[in-house]
Amino acid sequence: TLMCMIELLVTIKKDEKRYRTMRRALKGLELMEQYEASSGHRLPVSMYGKVLNCMAQCSPAPVEEAVALLKVANLRTANFAILCVHYGNVIKVCASARPSRADTALDLLAEMKEKNIHPTGQVYTNVIQACARSAGGARLGDALKVLDEMVSRKMEIPIPTIIAVLN
């Protein structure tokens, strides 16, 4: 996982602020892995969330790396609130990719439901953005289905969600 992250770091070097943010996150992940290997103790799974959050801000969006890191984080916790945040960050990475990775975002949403992890409004918004930003608007129908799901669950629909569908 760490080697994939280092390769990613090289690709985002152009954007100095994101590069520094990602570098700090990677250093934290590296130290965490070293500590765990030497002590046998596990550090908080929230560290993965911090790295995933950094990945969600990267350009180009590192979808494969984020999904791989999510799988590692999933093995380390059963806390649904933490997992929801992790899934949300990876789905945000999918929405940020150009072209967006709507298929992956929809798969992750389905996986959350299978695991009985209740998506937040932000997770739904990120899925809708991924679908709405798909090449040529090919997944706009899926974006509308996800929006319908939000309505049926009586969720508050944030303005960015509506804007994503209208664009």
Side-chain angles (χ1 to χ4, degrees), residues 76-131:
R76 295 183 168 229
T77 186
N79 183 320
F80 289 163
I82 291 174
L83 288 174
C84 184
V85 172
H86 290 176
Y87 274 95
N89 282 328
V90 177
I91 291 170
K92 186 175 178 182
V93 171
C94 294
S96 299
R98 294 293 177 259
S100 72
R101 297 285 297 273
D103 290 340
T104 304
L106 289 164
D107 289 346
L108 290 169
L109 180 63
E111 189 177 304
M112 287 179 75
K113 293 175 191 174
E114 287 172 16
K115 294 181 176 187
N116 207 24
I117 301 169
H118 301 290
T120 62
Q122 186 59 54
V123 170
Y124 280 113
T125 297
N126 293 340
V127 173
I128 289 169
Q129 287 175 339
C131 292

Side-chain angles (χ1 to χ4, degrees), residues 147-165:
L147 183 61
D148 283 343
E149 186 176 330
M150 286 181 78
V151 170
S152 70
R153 289 179 176 232
K154 298 183 180 9
M155 298 180 84
E156 183 177 327
I157 300 173
I159 300 292
T161 305
I162 296 167
I163 291 170
V165 172

